[in-house]
Amino acid sequence: MNVPATDRFTVEDAINLYGLDGWGNGYLAVGTDGHLLVTPSRDPSRAIDVMRIVEDMGRRGFKTPLLLRFPQLLEGQVHELANAFSNAIREFNYPDRYLPVFPIKVNQQRQVVEGLVTSGWKHGLGIEVGSRPELLAAIGLATSPDALLICNGFKDPDYLSSASLASRLGKQVVVVVEKPFEVDQILEMAKEEEILPRIGFRIRLQSKGSGKWEKSSGFASKFGLTTLQLMRALEKLDAAGLSRNIALLHFHIGSQITEIRRLKNAFKEAAR
């Protein structure tokens, strides 16, 4: 019997093909009619039929492509992340708090960034920037007083001057040193600026991650200080009376790591 492929393709086939149960995280599902459902609150009774929305927009004169925003998803993910760390902090009696940061390079759209900052206000959600334009954008955001403003990327004098400006405006700025010459630039800035940002270091570990970005980690990585470079940088800051500004240690061993052993090795090396 000649049955069209669309008739043979069932809802179960769609679920298996797209694997929504695996990565949808409770926010996405397939309805009984095969339509994509979005449940921002993870309450199935309040699911939104995307197909019906698109059809309704078409009747109102709008044409595809359309961009549909569900800010509740951002809010839910921020709370889930912060609560996971809060539970771990209570379980292990950790004496400090967790302050998340959002890398603004991931999505620079104003609605997204402001939605995240608003959702994460009580958790102290901050921003991570990688350039001076991103830093200037982050300065203008109404973040929590406790929120961190992490400055990564290449740092020229203008970038560092803007970081100092953010500190004077009350932002909790941390400039992450990734190259030895950046320490010298900070020392030069200290001669002119009364209020300086706090200082962090990105270190280059021997430990490597796994997966697609494994080659970007380990001693062959292009970014981060070696142990010797770190010690010399600390000596320079101490001699200049800036050791009190040191506030952060950062390392990166890759993304999408699936082996817990790789993480344990990195943590042990960093702690030493």
Side-chain angles (χ1 to χ4, degrees):
M1 184 171 62
N2 187 16
V3 180
T6 53
D7 292 339
R8 297 197 304 269
F9 191 77
T10 65
V11 172
E12 288 72 22
D13 292 329
I15 294 174
N16 293 330
L17 176 63
Y18 297 109
L20 292 181
D21 291 342
W23 61 268
N25 202 19
Y27 295 117
L28 303 175
V30 178
T32 55
D33 53 4
H35 294 177
L36 175 65
L37 303 178
V38 180
T39 54
S41 62
R42 288 178 172 163
D43 182 357
S45 65
R46 304 181 65 184
I48 300 170
D49 189 319
V50 175
M51 183 67 177
R52 296 186 186 280
I53 290 180
V54 173
E55 290 175 341
D56 180 62
M57 297 293 287
R59 286 190 292 269
R60 294 162 58 184
F62 294 92
K63 295 182 179 180
T64 55
L66 299 170
L67 176 61
L68 304 178
R69 299 187 184 278
F70 301 95
Q72 300 90 340
L73 272 67
L74 297 177
E75 182 178 4
Q77 289 300 97
V78 170
H79 292 333
E80 190 169 315
L81 174 68
N83 290 336
F85 275 89
S86 295
N87 293 336
I89 286 172
R90 285 194 299 271
E91 180 180 354
F92 295 99
N93 295 317
Y94 182 67
D96 215 323
R97 65 176 296 191
Y98 167 69
L99 291 170
V101 294
F102 172 68
I104 199 171
K105 67 179 181 182
V106 173
N107 193 321
Q108 299 173 342
Q109 296 186 49
R110 180 175 180 176
Q111 299 92 333
V112 173
V113 178
E114 290 184 344
L116 281 167
V117 169
T118 301
S119 301
W121 180 278
K122 69 177 183 179
H123 302 298
L125 176 71
I127 300 293
E128 183 264 333
V129 301
S131 66
R132 185 168 180 260
E134 290 181 354
L135 172 57
L136 295 176
I139 291 175
L141 292 171
T143 54
S144 164
D146 297 328
L148 296 175
L149 177 51
I150 306 295
C151 296
N152 284 316
F154 178 79
K155 301 166 195 70
D156 59 12
D158 288 338
Y159 188 166
L160 293 174
S161 177
S162 297
S164 178
L165 170 63
S167 298
R168 294 198 301 272
L169 292 174
K171 300 288 186 179
Q172 306 300 323
V173 184
V174 181
V175 173
V176 181
V177 173
E178 299 178 87
K179 296 289 185 179
F181 71 85
E182 294 175 350
V183 175
D184 297 325
Q185 291 184 332
I186 292 175
L187 294 177
E188 287 297 318
M189 180 178 65
K191 297 177 182 178
E192 303 177 0
E193 303 287 352
E194 293 184 5
I195 300 179
L196 296 176
R198 286 180 284 177
I199 303 169
F201 288 99
R202 176 170 179 170
I203 58 176
R204 192 186 315 175
L205 300 180
Q206 298 281 354
S207 303
K208 300 179 66 174
S210 60
K212 181 178 180 180
W213 304 105
E214 178 179 353
K215 293 183 179 179
S216 67
S217 60
F219 195 73
S221 172
K222 294 185 294 184
F223 304 103
L225 304 183
T226 64
T227 302
L228 180 58
Q229 290 172 334
L230 174 64
M231 297 303 295
R232 288 176 175 172
L234 292 174
E235 290 173 355
K236 288 183 177 181
L237 293 175
D238 187 49
L242 295 179
S243 57
R244 64 184 182 279
N245 286 53
I246 299 172
L248 180 145
L249 183 67
H250 166 62
F251 60 87
H252 180 68
I253 63 169
S255 304
Q256 303 174 17
I257 299 172
T258 56
E259 301 177 36
I260 190 67
R261 176 174 55 85
R262 305 284 185 128
L263 296 173
K264 289 182 177 180
N265 290 341
F267 292 146
K268 289 179 180 178
E269 181 182 350
R272 287 197 299 269

